Amino acid sequence: MGYKALIGLEMHCEISKTKTKVFSSAANSFSDIPNSNVSPVDMAFPGILPVVNKEAVKKALLASIALGCKQPEYVYFERKNYYYPDLPKGYQITQETKPAPIGIYGKLRFEFNGEYREVRINNIHLEEDAASTDHYSRYSTIDYNRAGVPLLELVTEPDFTSADEAVAFLETMRSIYRYANISDADSRKGQIRCDVNVSIMDEDLDSKDPANWGTKVEIKNVNSFGGVRDAINYEISRQIEMKENGTYDSLEQQTRRWDETTMTTVYMRSKVDAIDYKYFVEPNIPKFKLDPAWIEKIRSEIPVFATERKEKYMTEYGMNNYDATILVNEKSISDFFNEVVELGANPKLASNWMTTMVLGYLNNNDKTIEEVYLTPKKLYDLINMIEEGKISSKQAKEVFNKIMEEDKTPEKVVEELGMKQIGDEDTLRPMIIKIIEEHLELIEEYRKGRNVFDFFVGQVMKQTRGQANPSLTAKIIKEEIDKR
Ligand code: ADP
Ligand code: MG
């Protein structure tokens, strides 16, 4: 018999885009110097009082609204009580039991292998991050910089059926956090950590009915998307093997961890005697009412996200998947491209310029779009000059490099480089007649079948320093030869 997997994710993402921490005035900024962004609140000194950071609540609400969640009428926090050296208060301030979370019961549509999937969001809640610990052979260190950093925890329903699908969702969420200016969502800075829940069930049973679900195994604190993929795949195989060797019935709900060196999941603890966190409402933070007008204002500030932009680029602009993916990767690039198109540029031409020249230049020079002189208007004008035949595409590339590096319009550069194409007959025809009259012997050769055409074009280009419009030049030469 075959099996299918059910996967649910708990994705933690630090809100990195607030000035200060979620309940204290210490800076919320990544620092290499341990214990440099710390206030007495983060260290749990006696008598401290947490104060809620409005900006953190706003960003959490933004995520909640973007995920189609229901927002609570009143926001309040809860204490999750446990002891660990990275948690000096002896509890974490979080939002666990419903309806506390900043968002409940939402959904997200995301792209997976060219198709659209939808995952149900159980809840998204705002909490504080713990300090970070490092363990050495004879001692451990604690860095309180991370203590109190605002953290969003998003919990999905077990709607994923493969590791790749789960990762596609995580990539979509990372993009949303970045587009909405909630977080850099940078795994390398430890800003994203996931708990992965995996179970398997018989292939022909209905996965909509929870009664059919298998025993769930939770893998804690996986800190890269590659790790999430490997951990899920490993865990699915491990559980299938248990089915096949008859030990599956002894599988109990448990928490495991992903070991990157052995590429296996390792048993940590059983969930059967799960820790009782003794949640209760945080008494030091009065509950507060959410103003519906504020929610509407936040809603109006939500940008169009990458999934929808990419869909539009492919269906309306006829872009291929690869180019569309590159263009929506960073919001600033997609915004820039949108502006060029809104100015009236042909989307196809504009996307070619963006994906090859603009991104090529930025990658080669390790710069962002904000760090060069190019503006949407300048790129639009440059594209227009090619379309109108004022300059050749070859010339345009030269102009492009100048307008990236100098604060000049393309017109100005074209003028300075003396590049304008000569596209009027009144200038070109007399010049061509003169050239032909100076080489009348070639007309005879031409009649004998020799190709003299390129020679004449070459002469015109030489005299105009390459600025003659090529198709008009060819047309006049042909006419003048035929007349003789
Ligand atoms: P717990 O009480 O152990 O924290 P929850 O029911 O709150 O469990 O679910 C936590 C996570 O586990 C969610 O992401 C959920 O989607 C996922 N999950 C629940 N049941 C299963 C299952 N049978 N298989 C896979 N994931 C599951
Ligand atoms: Mg949590």
Side-chain angles (χ1 to χ4, degrees), residues 12 80 96 125 127 153:
H12 297 83
K80 177 179 185 177
E96 191 74 14
H125 58 268
E127 56 189 21
E153 178 174 346

Side-chain angles (χ1 to χ4, degrees), residues 179-239:
Y179 263 64
N181 199 31
I182 291 172
S183 178
D184 292 325
D186 187 344
S187 306
R188 289 166 309 176
K189 292 182 183 167
Q191 290 172 344
I192 299 181
R193 276 112 53 196
C194 297
D195 300 342
V196 179
N197 300 272
V198 181
S199 68
I200 57 167
M201 60 189 282
D202 292 350
E203 197 172 40
D204 41 8
L205 291 180
D206 178 11
S207 54
K208 295 226 168 57
D209 182 357
N212 291 331
W213 295 355
T215 306
K216 156 191 113 162
V217 169
E218 176 188 40
I219 307 148
K220 277 250 174 243
N221 256 318
V222 190
N223 53 25
S224 72
F225 291 177
V228 168
R229 180 181 286 115
D230 294 342
I232 294 173
N233 283 330
Y234 175 84
E235 192 55 31
I236 293 173
S237 320
R238 191 182 74 86
Q239 292 178 23

Side-chain angles (χ1 to χ4, degrees), residues 6-10 155-158 197-199 213-214 216 271:
L6 283 192
I7 300 148
L9 295 174
E10 293 159 87
V155 183
T156 77
E157 298 295 347
N197 300 272
V198 181
S199 68
W213 295 355
K216 156 191 113 162
K271 273 229 166 188

